[in-house]
Amino acid sequence: MSTSSLPSYVAPPAFPRTPSYSAEPQAFEQRLALNRPARRPSGNFVKQAKNVGLRLFAQEDNATLPTYGCGAAVEGEVSLSKTDGVTAVEVKIEGSLRLREVAEGGTTTYKLCLTRVPLWSKETDSDPCPASLQFSLTLPTTFSDGRETYPLPPTHDVHLSGVPGFNANIEYAVSATMVRNKATALLRLGGGVVSTPLIYYPRSRPAVPLPSPMRQSFDTFRFIETPEWRSWESTMKARISGAKDISCQLFLPAARVYCINQHIPFHVTFSSSAFSLAAFLPYGPTATILAPNKVFTRIRVLRQSIVDVRNAMVLGTKTDIWRVDTIGEAEFKHSGDGPDLLCFNGQIRLDPQVRIGGFKAGGLVVKDFIEFTMIPPDPPKAPFAEMRLVVPIRLTTDPWSVDSLMPAITEPSTPEESI
């Protein structure tokens, strides 16, 4: 092939100077995203036993227990008070899920992880055992119970008192073991084991941010629906002559994935005749003069913890045991009335003690729901029957962020069973 027909290349233009860049945006610039890893703690967690010590790196100062996230590296150092007669040094991480049913006495244990790494051995190392040995072990992200594979569950403890009842514990620990020969054992030097529980809290965030509040129509006061909000409806059945049923509509951010450290916004409408709405007012979501300390219409976040120890069926029904806890409560604000409409909005405040979201691991399932109810104090005499609406949600440890590197949680699927 002849090269005489090949095009010639133009020399690159000469720039008088190289453009300057800065880490922070200037006054006329805007940052669109910043994928910067989270700050690495600089403190150490130290646990000391008689002959051996354990130091774990990258922990918060004054931490009561070491804490790790999803797929984290457990890094640290094992220190020996004396190395005479040492034959082996190893470090181990283990996790377990224990389920115990109180009534039947059955117990099931799942091994969540077990990683054992030799740091020094007389049989394989020719050099003398050093006084300190560093290590790094990576936590697994999943575990299998032999039937299914699940994400590694967080540290958690829940129990149900009474009969039937249950205890469910998810625990993790890291330990270091030093072994000496029999001759030094006779000198009372002995071996040593140091161990500490560790807290495993995998972090997560919603895939989308919380939407802006819904706007209301100027003439009807009805909320103007947008794709960022989704509604759920239920009916409050009338029980007195002349009254009509009340249509109850709950609006929530459509994704149904919320951060445990953020308030969950909502909007509510009650639609019916003027007579029915007037009869409903004493049972509404805000206190009245007649009942200043009683509210019968509520929105709560409920957590259902389900334990299946035996994995059995009785007459076609699972032998699950569960408990339900309230982990969040709504505050209502009146936002307007129409001729056939009552409107409210507000926020659900979650219990600050809640540290984790829902999960499934072997025979333990933790689910979260938003419950919208009207429960009259004296149902036979109330003008309306009880109303209950349940919406499944998921909770994350962190809020939405455009430049976050942690996993994003998408919309939850509807559970097989509601609470």
Side-chain angles (χ1 to χ4, degrees):
M1 177 179 176
S2 174
T3 59
S4 59
S5 61
L6 292 177
S8 60
Y9 293 91
V10 179
F15 294 101
R17 66 179 181 87
T18 303
S20 60
Y21 297 93
S22 61
E24 297 298 324
Q26 301 182 34
F28 55 88
E29 297 175 324
Q30 180 182 3
R31 175 177 287 150
L32 299 179
L34 177 64
N35 291 324
R36 179 178 293 172
R39 179 188 64 86
R40 178 181 170 90
S42 58
N44 295 325
F45 177 86
V46 180
K47 185 71 177 290
Q48 187 67 43
K50 181 179 180 181
N51 297 314
V52 59
L54 178 65
R55 180 184 298 271
L56 298 174
F57 305 149
Q59 297 299 310
E60 297 291 347
D61 294 332
N62 302 317
T64 56
L65 286 175
T67 302
Y68 297 93
C70 181
V74 179
E75 300 175 336
E77 181 181 76
V78 177
S79 59
L80 309 179
S81 58
K82 294 183 179 180
T83 60
D84 301 340
V86 173
T87 58
V89 181
E90 72 169 21
V91 65
K92 178 176 65 176
I93 294 179
E94 56 186 338
S96 63
L97 164 60
R98 295 183 180 87
L99 306 176
R100 185 173 70 89
E101 184 178 340
V102 175
E104 298 293 333
T107 301
T108 301
T109 301
Y110 299 89
K111 186 66 68 176
L112 301 178
C113 64
L114 178 59
T115 304
R116 180 183 283 109
V117 175
L119 302 182
W120 186 87
S121 174
K122 182 179 180 181
E123 296 180 357
T124 58
D125 294 287
S126 57
D127 296 331
C129 179
S132 64
L133 299 146
Q134 293 195 358
F135 63 89
S136 177
L137 289 78
T138 301
L139 290 171
T141 58
T142 62
F143 91 98
S144 175
D145 64 353
R147 297 186 300 271
E148 296 183 53
T149 299
Y150 308 91
L152 194 67
T155 301
H156 191 55
D157 176 75
V158 62
H159 70 277
L160 174 64
S161 302
V163 178
F166 66 80
N167 289 291
N169 304 89
I170 299 175
E171 299 175 330
Y172 297 90
V174 55
S175 62
T177 303
M178 180 260 291
V179 181
R180 281 195 168 100
N181 58 32
K182 294 182 179 179
T184 52
L186 295 176
L187 299 176
R188 295 184 179 181
L189 292 178
V193 178
V194 59
S195 178
T196 178
L198 66 85
I199 298 174
Y200 177 64
Y201 279 152
R203 296 173 63 185
S204 57
R205 63 177 175 87
V208 295
L210 290 174
S212 300
M214 299 180 73
R215 294 185 296 111
Q216 290 179 266
S217 171
F218 290 108
D219 52 352
T220 65
F221 284 99
R222 292 189 179 275
F223 293 107
I224 300 173
E225 298 190 29
T226 63
E228 291 78 21
W229 290 83
R230 181 177 168 185
S231 66
W232 284 263
E233 298 183 8
S234 186
T235 301
M236 206 180 300
K237 295 292 184 179
R239 302 179 62 180
I240 58 174
S241 177
K244 294 182 178 180
D245 296 343
I246 297 179
S247 176
C248 309
Q249 194 171 20
L250 170 65
F251 294 91
L252 294 170
R256 292 185 291 150
V257 181
Y258 314 116
C259 172
I260 58 177
N261 297 317
Q262 290 182 316
H263 302 327
I264 304 173
F266 67 88
H267 302 276
V268 170
T269 62
F270 300 96
S271 305
S272 189
S273 65
F275 175 78
S276 295
L277 294 178
F280 166 70
L281 283 178
Y283 302 91
T286 56
T288 63
I289 297 177
L290 297 178
N293 299 319
K294 296 181 180 179
V295 175
F296 307 111
T297 299
R298 305 170 68 187
I299 294 178
R300 300 182 295 170
V301 176
L302 303 181
R303 169 159 290 180
Q304 183 182 33
S305 302
I306 307 170
V307 167
D308 180 11
V309 176
R310 292 175 289 167
N311 192 29
M313 301 280 287
V314 176
L315 300 177
T317 303
K318 290 281 288 181
T319 58
D320 296 339
I321 307 173
W322 66 87
R323 65 171 290 167
V324 178
D325 298 285
T326 299
I327 61 172
E329 187 82 31
E331 295 180 356
F332 287 81
K333 293 182 180 179
H334 184 231
S335 63
D337 296 338
D340 58 353
L341 190 71
L342 296 177
C343 300
F344 297 86
N345 56 33
Q347 295 179 327
I348 306 172
R349 299 176 181 270
L350 292 171
D351 188 332
Q353 299 299 319
V354 176
R355 296 286 306 276
I356 61 172
F359 64 90
K360 182 178 182 181
L364 175 62
V365 180
V366 177
K367 302 177 182 179
D368 296 318
F369 302 83
I370 287 180
E371 181 195 54
F372 178 29
T373 59
M374 194 290 288
I375 303 176
D378 191 358
K381 298 179 180 180
F384 299 96
E386 176 181 326
M387 183 275 298
R388 186 170 185 261
L389 176 65
V390 175
V391 180
I393 64 170
R394 294 188 68 177
L395 298 177
T396 66
T397 59
D398 291 72
W400 175 86
S401 175
V402 67
D403 54 7
S404 176
L405 299 178
M406 70 186 71
I409 303 298
T410 56
E411 181 175 341
S413 58
T414 301
E416 296 177 1
E417 297 181 9
S418 295
I419 56 180

